[in-house]
């Protein structure tokens, strides 16, 4: 009986020590480095890439993983809070209700836990997986600075919705939202090129194709008609009426998105806002003509976005399971 009691006490002590070792507080100045796991988990990037190649390939799940990283970083920084389940979950905010790819992240995390337990954060998994998603779709690759920590709490639904771009944002609203995160107009224009892959639901592009939005951007009539065939003027929520952002090469990460904008074939109002007689028109033209220039700027902007830290004082840790705090 005494031996059992001692054993239980040691288990509690070890659990407490593990919690203390994993827990941190965000200070806004954590040093990120591509070499962060060289000693503690040298196979980390290989494991992420292997699961991504086997589980995702160049299919529809790759854009979903990329979207997860964007939606995570825009709300309280890149802290994997978008992955948390619970009564107050960012997943329940309207812009996040169509997010998928969570099972891929869970599979990567499980593989990492087998190789190097309690070491690689879920936030770093998202950063690496999004880089690999782009590469698997034929896009650029880059060195990912690592060393992020996972927040213990998610933002509420209202805060989450307020801090994510809307399908009908105008250019001024987009510049301000990106600017509040330390991302300039060039970063914004390059990062928007992520819409060269992926799909959108009818409810998000309806206002554009029916001309009911306050933002009166030009739209190619034949493009609008084709989209109206898939999207009725009312109703059709959820996954109904899905359409590709880039109708030319919807599963290839290239610069066709910008050529679509120049042809007034942007699917969302917030897409076409980038080419609407404004200050970023010249960047759209450049990226549309030079895929390599787009790839370089996109990679730089992804690193910059990935460096957005959680707020000062936010309790953080290295989660053992990405969907729940330790």
């Amino acid at each position: 009986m005494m031996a059992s009691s001692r054993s239980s006490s040691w288990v509690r002590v070890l659990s407490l020590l593990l919690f203390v070792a994993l827990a941190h507080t965000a200070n806004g100045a954590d040093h990120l480095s591509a070499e962060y796991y060289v000693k503690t988990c040298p196979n980390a990037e290989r494991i992420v890439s292997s699961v991504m190649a086997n589980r995702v390939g160049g299919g529809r799940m790759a854009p979903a993983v990329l979207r997860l990283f964007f939606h995570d970083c825009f709300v309280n920084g890149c802290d994997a809070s978008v992955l948390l389940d619970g009564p107050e979950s960012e997943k329940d905010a309207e812009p996040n209700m169509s997010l998928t790819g969570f099972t891929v992240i869970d599979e990567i995390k499980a593989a990492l836990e087998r190789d190097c337990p309690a070491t690689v954060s879920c936030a770093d998994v998202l950063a690496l997986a999004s880089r690999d998603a782009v590469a698997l779709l034929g896009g650029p690759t880059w060195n990912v600075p690592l060393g992020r920590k996972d927040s213990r709490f998610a933002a509420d639904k209202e805060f989450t919705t307020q801090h994510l771009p809307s399908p009908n944002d105008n250019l001024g609203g987009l510049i301000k939202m990106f600017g509040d995160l330390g991302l300039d107009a060039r970063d914004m224009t390059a990062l928007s090129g992520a819409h060269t892959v992926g799909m959108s639901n009818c409810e998000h592009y309806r206002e554009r194709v029916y001309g009911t939005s306050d933002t009166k951007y030009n739209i190619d009539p034949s493009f609008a008609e084709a989209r109206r065939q898939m999207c009725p003027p009312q109703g059709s929520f959820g996954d109904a009426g899905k359409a590709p952002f880039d109708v030319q090469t919807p599963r290839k990460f290239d610069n066709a998105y910008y050529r679509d904008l120049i042809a007034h074939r942007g699917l969302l109002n917030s897409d076409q806002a980038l080419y609407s007689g404004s200050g970023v028109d010249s960047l759209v033209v450049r990226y549309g003509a030079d895929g390599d220039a787009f790839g370089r700027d996109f990679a730089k902007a992804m690193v910059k976005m990935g460096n957005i830290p959680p707020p000062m004082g936010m309790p953080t840790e290295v989660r053992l399971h990405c969907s729940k705090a330790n």
Side-chain angles (χ1 to χ4, degrees):
M1 186 74 173
M2 186 176 294
S4 176
S5 177
R6 287 175 179 171
S7 176
S8 297
S9 297
W10 272 111
V11 169
R12 287 194 294 270
V13 169
L14 288 172
S15 297
L16 178 61
L17 288 173
L18 177 61
F19 174 79
V20 171
L22 293 175
H24 303 78
T25 300
N27 59 24
D30 290 331
H31 178 66
L32 303 184
S33 167
E35 309 297 316
Y36 189 83
Y37 296 114
V38 164
K39 293 182 179 179
T40 57
C41 193
N43 293 323
E45 294 201 41
R46 181 186 61 78
I47 291 170
V48 175
S49 295
S50 176
V51 175
M52 285 292 292
N54 293 331
R55 182 76 165 74
V56 174
R60 293 175 62 181
M61 196 58 70
V65 170
L66 178 59
R67 187 173 178 230
L68 277 178
F69 188 51
F70 272 78
H71 283 233
D72 183 50
C73 291
F74 267 69
V75 181
N76 281 338
C78 307
D79 61 355
S81 57
V82 74
L83 305 178
L84 286 169
D85 290 331
E88 277 292 346
S89 172
E90 292 174 23
K91 294 179 182 179
D92 296 327
E94 193 281 328
N96 286 344
M97 293 181 76
S98 59
L99 289 177
T100 57
F102 298 105
T103 57
V104 176
I105 302 303
D106 289 341
E107 190 172 328
I108 294 171
K109 178 62 172 173
L112 288 165
E113 287 299 310
R114 289 192 293 269
D115 194 69
C116 37
T119 302
V120 181
S121 69
C122 298
D124 278 344
V125 171
L126 276 175
L128 288 168
S130 63
R131 185 270 310 271
D132 290 347
V134 172
L136 287 167
L137 291 164
T141 189
W142 57 90
N143 291 325
V144 179
L146 301 166
R148 298 166 189 79
K149 298 297 182 289
D150 305 321
S151 72
R152 289 183 50 75
F153 306 102
D156 63 41
K157 291 188 290 185
E158 182 178 356
F159 183 91
T160 299
T161 300
Q162 290 174 348
H163 288 78
L164 288 171
S166 159
N168 291 304
D169 279 343
N170 59 31
L171 184 63
L174 291 170
I175 289 174
K176 183 182 187 309
M177 181 168 284
F178 279 75
D180 288 345
L181 297 172
L183 302 168
D184 60 27
R186 190 184 196 92
D187 300 321
M188 176 199 71
T189 307
L191 289 170
S192 295
H195 278 185
T196 193
V197 292
M199 312 273 285
S200 179
N201 298 333
C202 164
E203 61 188 291
H204 295 142
Y205 65 83
R206 176 182 285 117
E207 289 193 18
R208 173 149 171 76
V209 299
Y210 283 98
T212 57
S213 174
D214 291 336
T215 48
K216 303 295 186 182
Y217 300 128
N218 291 332
I219 186 168
D220 176 79
S222 63
F223 174 75
E225 178 57 29
R227 290 294 161 262
R228 286 196 290 267
Q229 296 301 314
M230 303 172 61
C231 179
Q234 57 188 359
S236 183
F237 291 97
D239 288 339
K242 277 197 170 227
F245 287 110
D246 166 25
V247 72
Q248 298 182 63
T249 53
R251 293 194 183 182
K252 182 179 179 183
F253 198 96
D254 57 17
N255 62 336
Y257 167 79
Y258 298 101
R259 295 196 295 272
D260 288 336
L261 299 186
I262 294 168
H264 302 292
R265 288 172 160 250
L267 184 62
L268 307 180
N269 277 320
S270 56
D271 290 323
Q272 197 61 53
L274 301 180
Y275 190 77
S276 56
S278 63
V280 298
D281 281 13
S282 59
L283 276 173
V284 171
V285 171
R286 181 171 186 237
Y287 293 156
D290 189 342
D292 290 338
F294 161 55
R296 287 191 299 270
D297 282 1
F298 181 83
K300 290 177 185 176
M302 283 290 284
V303 171
K304 192 172 176 181
M305 182 181 75
N307 289 344
I308 301 171
M312 293 278 285
M314 171 79 76
T316 59
E317 62 187 4
V318 175
R319 279 184 229 141
L320 302 179
H321 301 278
C322 291
S323 61
K324 62 181 181 180
N326 297 333

